[in-house]
Amino acid sequence: MSEFDMEKYPVKPSDDAVASSSVADVEIVTESTSGWSAFKDSFKPAVFHDIDTSKMTNEEIAAMATATSPLSRSLKPRHLQMIAVGGCIGTGLFVGTGASLSHGGPAAMLIAFALIGSMLFTTVHALGELAVSFPVSGSFSAFSTRFIDPAWGFAMGWNYGLQWLVVFPLELVGCSITVGFWDHEAKYNSASWVAIFYCIILILNIFGAKGYGEAESFFSIVKVLAVSGFCILGIVIAVGGAPNSTGYIGTHYWYNPGAFAQGFKGVCAVLVNAAFAFSGTELIGLAASETPNPAKALPRATKQVFWRVLLFYILPLTIMGCIIPYNDPHLLGHSSTGASTSPFVLAISNAGISGLPSVMNVVVMLALLSVANAAIYGCSRTLMSLALQGQAPKILGYVDRAGRPLVAMGLTFFVGLICFVAASDKQTLVFTWLLAISGLSTIFTWGSICLCHIRFRRGMKVQGRSTDELVVKSMFGVLGSWYGLILNVLVLCFTFWTSLYPIDGSKPNATVFFQNYLAAPVIIVFYVFYKVWRRPAVVRAKSMDLVTGRRMMDIEATLEEIRQEKAYIASRGMAYRIFRFWC
C-alpha cells in the first residue's frame, strides 16, 4: 500500500503525446524543430494524460493535480544544495542585520538568530520527509490542505504567494537603491535602474526552473565567497589590523556600549528579523517537484541548512558584533538611508579600507537580485498549485511545454510593476504597507510545515502504517516538529507584544501595530472566507489520504539503494562518516 494505487486511480495515456515524463502522469511535449519555431512552440500548453477522477473525492483530485503538474524535472542535486546553502541570503542578512544589531545588541542578535536557525533546521528536515514522500507542486499549501484543513491550506497558499508578490518589487527597488552608493548626489534615475533589474529577472525566468537553478547557483557562490571573505576581514579588523585601527578591538563593544540594547524585549524584537533573514530556505520543498530524484537530492540539501545557519549567519554576525557598536548612528534603525548602509559595507568603510566597500555593495546588489529571482519562482509555483487545487482561478494553473507556469509567472511580473513606485516620493509608505501584509508569512509557513509533519505521522500511526515505508525520515522525528511549532507560536506571541508595545517605549499605536502584525488578520480573513465559502471539514487522522499523489517509485528498490549507500559510508573512515552525517 506504500506505492501509488494504480487500480484506484487508473491513468489513460494521451494518444497525441510526443514525449512523456517517467515520474508523473503528465507529458511535456518536445518537438524536433529548432531555433525560433521551437522557442515559440515551448509556450504552447503542456499535454496532460487523461486521469479518471470518477472514483476520487475533491481532496483526492486536488492531491492528484498537484502531484501530476507538468513542471519540468530540470533541477539537479547541485541546484538544490546551492539553494539550501546560499539561496535567498539577501536583504535579511546583508541589510536587515543592521536593524537587528541596533535594536537588540550583539548578544540579542546572536540569541535570536540561533533560536530561529535551530527551529529552521528541524523544520526543513520535516519538510524533507514530506516532500520526498509527496513531491507535489506548491507543497506548503498542498500539505496543509491534505493533512490539516483545506481552509488552512487556502490561507497558507495565498499567504505564501502574497509574500513573494510583495518581495519581488521590494527587492528590485532595493537593487536600485544600492546604485546610490556610488552617486551621493542622487543624480541617477532610480526608475531606469529598476527597469534594468526587472528585465534581468525576466530573462532569467524565460528558461524556467533550469534558469532559476543556474542563476541561484551563481548567486549563491558569490554570496558564500563574500561572507567567507567578510569573516576573514572582520577578524583582521577585530585584532587591530585595519588601516585606521586604534588597536585591538576584540569584544570591547560587548562591554561598551554593551551586549544588549533592550534586554529581553530586544531579543523578541530581533526574532522576526531573523526569520525574515532565513526566509526562502523552505523553497527546497517547492523545488522537490522539479527534481528527477528527490529521494537522493533532498536529504543532502536539508543537511546543508546546518552549515548555512552556522557559517553564513552565526559566524559573520558574531564577528559583526565585535567590530560595530550597536549605537553606531549609521546602522539601519537609526539612519535609514538604503541598502548602501548595510552593516557589511559599514564595517569595511569604518575600517578605512578603500575599494572593498564598493565590492561588498555589488554583492549586496546581487543578493537582492537573487531574492527577486527566488520570488518569481516561489510565487508562480504557489499560485499554480492553488489553481490546481481549485483554490485560485483555473487559468493560473496553465503550464507550457517547457514546464513553466506561464500565467502565474505573468501575474507575478505584472504585480512586480509596482517597483516603479521607486520614482515616487511615496515609495516608503507604499512598501511599508505592502510588506505588512505578509510580514509574518515565514513564521506561519514554517509552523504549518511542522504541524503538517505532526499530523502526517499521526495519520500513519492511526491507520496502522509503518514509518519503514518512508524513503526519507526527519532526523529529529516528530519531537523536532513539535519544537519548531512551539517556537513559531512563541515568536508570534513575542511579536504581538513588541508590536503593541514598541521597544522605543512609545505608547500603543494602531498604525505601528498593523505595520508589524497585519499578516495575522489577513490570514484569518482568508481562512474564514474559505471556511464559509466551501465549508470543508478538518482532516481527521483515520481518513487522511496517505496514498494519492505519491511519485511512482519502487519503494523497496529505493530503500535498498539507500541501505547500500549507508553501508558504504559506514565502511569509510571516521572523517568521511562525520562529513556525510552533516553533509
Side-chain angles (χ1 to χ4, degrees), residues 173-488:
V173 172
C175 288
S176 72
I177 293 176
T178 59
V179 178
F181 179 83
W182 297 287
D183 187 0
H184 300 292
E185 298 180 3
K187 294 180 179 180
Y188 71 103
N189 188 322
S190 58
S192 63
W193 282 105
V194 164
I196 292 172
F197 295 129
Y198 183 95
C199 291
I200 291 174
I201 300 300
L202 179 63
I203 292 171
L204 288 176
N205 281 272
I206 288 178
F207 298 98
K210 186 175 183 180
Y212 163 72
E214 294 295 347
E216 281 307 297
S217 295
F218 169 74
F219 289 139
S220 294
I221 291 173
V222 172
K223 289 182 285 188
V224 166
L225 291 176
V227 174
S228 302
F230 174 82
C231 290
I232 296 173
L233 179 62
I235 293 173
V236 172
I237 295 173
V239 299
N244 62 353
S245 175
T246 56
Y248 177 81
I249 301 175
T251 58
H252 171 74
Y253 294 135
W254 280 64
Y255 299 96
N256 182 25
F260 293 92
Q262 299 287 341
F264 176 71
K265 200 169 188 177
V267 176
C268 295
V270 176
L271 286 172
V272 173
N273 290 346
F276 178 75
F278 285 121
S279 65
T281 308
E282 70 284 345
L283 282 173
I284 59 175
L286 284 182
S289 64
E290 299 185 64
T291 305
N293 190 355
K296 294 194 68 175
L298 208 55
R300 296 200 68 179
T302 56
K303 289 181 180 180
Q304 306 300 326
V305 174
F306 172 80
W307 299 109
R308 172 178 178 170
V309 172
L310 180 64
L311 299 179
F312 306 121
Y313 284 90
I314 302 302
L315 181 58
L317 294 183
T318 301
I319 296 172
M320 183 187 299
C322 292
I323 59 179
I324 304 178
Y326 73 73
N327 60 356
D328 189 304
H330 295 97
L331 282 173
L332 290 177
H334 286 290
S335 176
S336 182
T337 57
S340 59
T341 56
S342 161
F344 288 79
V345 177
L346 179 62
I348 299 173
S349 298
N350 288 349
I353 303 173
S354 60
L356 275 183
S358 291
V359 174
M360 184 57 69
N361 200 61
V362 171
V363 173
V364 173
M365 180 187 297
L366 292 177
L368 297 176
L369 277 175
S370 172
V371 178
N373 185 46
I376 298 297
Y377 183 86
C379 185
S380 61
R381 270 63 179 178
T382 301
L383 294 179
M384 182 204 69
S385 174
L386 288 169
L388 294 177
Q389 296 175 75
Q391 296 175 340
K394 187 176 180 180
I395 188 63
L396 291 176
Y398 180 94
V399 179
D400 65 18
R401 295 185 181 184
R404 295 168 297 208
L406 208 58
V407 176
M409 287 173 58
L411 177 62
T412 309
F413 275 107
F414 177 75
V415 176
L417 292 174
I418 297 174
C419 63
F420 287 99
V421 77
S424 168
D425 58 358
K426 300 292 184 181
Q427 66 163 307
T428 301
L429 179 64
V430 171
F431 281 114
T432 295
W433 283 106
L434 284 176
L435 196 58
I437 295 175
S438 58
L440 296 173
S441 173
T442 299
I443 301 299
F444 280 102
T445 298
W446 292 348
S448 293
I449 291 171
C450 292
L451 183 56
C452 285
H453 183 239
I454 293 169
R455 294 285 298 149
F456 170 64
R457 286 293 190 93
R458 175 63 179 169
M460 293 193 71
K461 182 178 180 179
V462 170
Q463 295 183 27
R465 302 176 74 98
S466 172
T467 56
D468 291 339
E469 71 182 60
L470 297 176
V471 175
V472 172
K473 300 175 187 176
S474 169
M475 180 186 296
F476 306 98
V478 177
L479 289 179
S481 294
W482 274 113
Y483 170 77
L485 177 61
I486 292 171
L487 192 53
N488 274 292

Side-chain angles (χ1 to χ4, degrees), residues 31-179:
E31 299 179 1
S32 59
T33 57
S34 59
W36 177 246
S37 295
F39 178 73
K40 289 192 300 180
D41 289 341
S42 71
F43 292 94
K44 294 179 180 179
V47 178
F48 285 78
H49 281 302
D50 296 324
I51 299 176
D52 183 5
T53 61
S54 60
K55 299 179 181 179
M56 298 186 189
T57 64
N58 291 334
E59 289 74 19
E60 289 173 337
I61 293 173
M64 179 60 72
T66 55
T68 59
S69 64
L71 296 174
S72 64
R73 314 289 187 195
S74 55
L75 287 179
K76 300 178 181 178
R78 64 179 177 85
H79 293 146
L80 278 187
Q81 291 179 28
M82 292 310 299
I83 291 170
V85 172
C88 287
I89 293 180
T91 313
L93 176 64
F94 288 112
V95 180
T97 47
S100 298
L101 180 59
S102 174
H103 293 156
M109 181 171 63
L110 283 180
I111 291 172
F113 273 80
L115 282 173
I116 298 298
S118 65
M119 179 263 290
L120 172 64
F121 193 45
T122 62
T123 300
V124 294
H125 275 273
L127 177 60
E129 179 180 312
L130 292 171
V132 170
S133 299
F134 305 93
V136 299
S137 60
S139 57
F140 313 133
S141 62
F143 292 154
S144 294
T145 296
R146 186 182 198 127
F147 303 126
I148 303 176
D149 181 352
W152 187 248
F154 174 81
M156 285 298 96
W158 280 104
N159 165 64
Y160 196 71
L162 284 175
Q163 173 193 349
W164 291 117
L165 273 177
V166 172
V167 166
F168 175 53
L170 183 66
E171 299 301 314
L172 293 181
V173 172
C175 288
S176 72
I177 293 176
T178 59
V179 178

